[in-house]
Amino acid sequence: MLRNRIGIILVTALAPVVWGTTYLVTTELLPPGRPLLAGVVRALPAGLLLVLLTRRLPKGIWWLRALVLGALNIGAFFALLFVAAYRLPGGVAATVGAVQPLLVAGLAAGLLGERLTLRTVLSAVAGVAGVSLLVLRAGARLDGLGVAAALGGAVVMAAGVVLSKRWVSPAPLLATTGWQLVAGGLLLLPVALLVEGPPPAGLTARNLLGYGYLTIVGAAVAYALWFRGIRALTPTSVTFLGLLSPVVATLVGWLALGQDLTPAQGLGGAIVLGALVTAQLRRPRRQVTAGPDHVGAAHVGAGRAATGTGAAGERPSGGAGTVARSGTGGLAG
């Protein structure tokens, strides 16, 4: 069971690892100044591909739910991320976005009944501190609208993660992933056309390669792994894995672009990884060890249940069913 859970965590972690490479792909392969177009191309073709492969459309309430989840996880999130990226330095936007695990933990406690532990809160705070050391630069300027957009992006994504756990679709995973990508892409399309205008006429082979990577790997594959993780794990466990994205983006910038990597950034990365691992730990279940007196009492109780008599040879008032139900409840508690 433990090995299976670790495997699911590692596979789910591939999604934020892939998303950490999108900065390199965007800056090196895509036309400049078209982040919303990149969001549309990343989501809509991938969603249509998954819908065609699965040949499943939403039914009943899932038309609305797919629209809501697509807006939260894809459409609104990408749009707010675009505003934050244009009005804030990347380090500030990433640091504000790092509050998402804490937001998910709070929403999961309210909507799903998850227990909000001190360890989770401390891990979330450590994650924000680690990301700030990793990507925040001295003298970074703050913009009120940009900060609000970055925080709004974290909020809508947190709500999308929790609702994805609360609303479990009977359809296959790839189908529900496709529905959300299509819904998010369609919501983002008019915004992209209004803000950025029509797509550029002359796309190069490098541009097409970059868009193809974002569509197939960055959306179809990555989001399928992400939503699979949400189905199998708690939302809080999954959202902490998202902290891998700024770590991977920093490493890729250092390895591929020759960017500097300072000791403070190394410390920040170590703090992020420590917070991530700590958040995945589960509390051991308490096991009640029965002493000799308890064992003896259990044997006596079993004998009485088998004969249907009480201590004075009388049948219990609730019957044998009552004895069985109360005993099971005691073990479960």
Side-chain angles (χ1 to χ4, degrees):
M1 185 69 177
L2 176 61
R3 184 177 300 176
N4 183 51
R5 183 173 184 272
I6 293 175
I8 294 173
I9 290 173
L10 293 177
V11 172
T12 306
L14 292 176
V17 167
V18 168
W19 295 333
T21 66
T22 57
Y23 172 78
L24 176 67
V25 173
T26 301
T27 55
E28 298 300 311
L29 299 180
L30 300 188
R34 295 299 184 105
L36 287 177
L37 174 63
V40 174
V41 174
R42 180 180 174 185
L44 190 54
L48 292 173
L49 175 63
L50 292 179
V51 171
L52 288 174
L53 288 175
T54 58
R55 298 183 180 181
R56 291 286 295 270
L57 292 176
K59 295 182 180 179
I61 191 63
W62 270 99
W63 284 101
L64 177 60
R65 289 180 175 178
L67 180 63
V68 172
L69 293 176
L72 294 174
N73 288 318
I74 312 295
F77 175 68
F78 283 179
L80 290 168
L81 202 63
F82 159 77
V83 175
Y86 264 71
R87 303 187 69 93
L88 292 174
V92 176
T95 302
V96 175
V99 304
Q100 183 179 313
L102 189 58
L103 296 173
V104 168
L107 289 173
L111 296 178
L112 303 177
E114 276 192 24
R115 184 180 178 186
L116 181 59
T117 64
L118 179 61
R119 185 181 66 190
T120 298
V121 174
L122 293 178
S123 297
V125 173
V128 174
V131 170
S132 66
L133 285 173
L134 190 66
V135 298
L136 199 58
R137 298 291 177 266
R141 60 180 178 82
L142 295 179
D143 176 84
L145 182 59
V147 171
L151 184 58
V155 170
V156 298
M157 186 66 171
V161 168
V162 174
L163 286 179
S164 295
K165 183 69 174 183
R166 184 179 177 89
W167 294 339
V168 180
S169 170
L173 174 66
L174 292 182
T176 56
T177 302
W179 301 343
Q180 293 188 50
L181 288 170
V182 169
L186 289 176
L187 290 173
L188 198 58
L189 178 59
V191 181
L193 292 174
L194 180 64
V195 175
E196 297 177 355
L203 292 176
T204 66
R206 289 173 61 86
N207 298 153
L208 296 176
L209 177 64
Y211 284 131
Y213 176 85
L214 292 182
T215 298
I216 303 300
V217 181
V221 174
Y223 273 102
L225 296 177
W226 184 251
F227 293 135
R228 176 179 179 270
I230 293 175
R231 285 191 176 189
L233 304 168
T234 65
T236 304
S237 295
V238 173
T239 194
F240 268 96
L241 298 176
L243 296 177
L244 284 171
S245 285
V247 176
V248 172
T250 301
L251 289 176
V252 169
W254 175 55
L255 293 172
L257 302 178
Q259 297 175 349
D260 294 334
L261 187 62
T262 66
Q265 287 179 293
L267 176 61
I271 293 174
V272 169
L273 294 178
L276 188 155
V277 171
T278 302
Q280 305 307 318
L281 299 178
R282 301 170 70 179
R283 294 183 61 193
R285 295 181 180 179
R286 293 191 305 170
Q287 295 182 350
V288 179
T289 303
D293 293 340
H294 293 87
V295 173
H299 282 293
V300 172
R304 290 174 180 169
T307 58
T309 59
E314 298 176 355
R315 176 176 292 274
S317 59
T322 303
V323 175
R325 285 194 296 271
S326 62
T328 303
L331 291 175

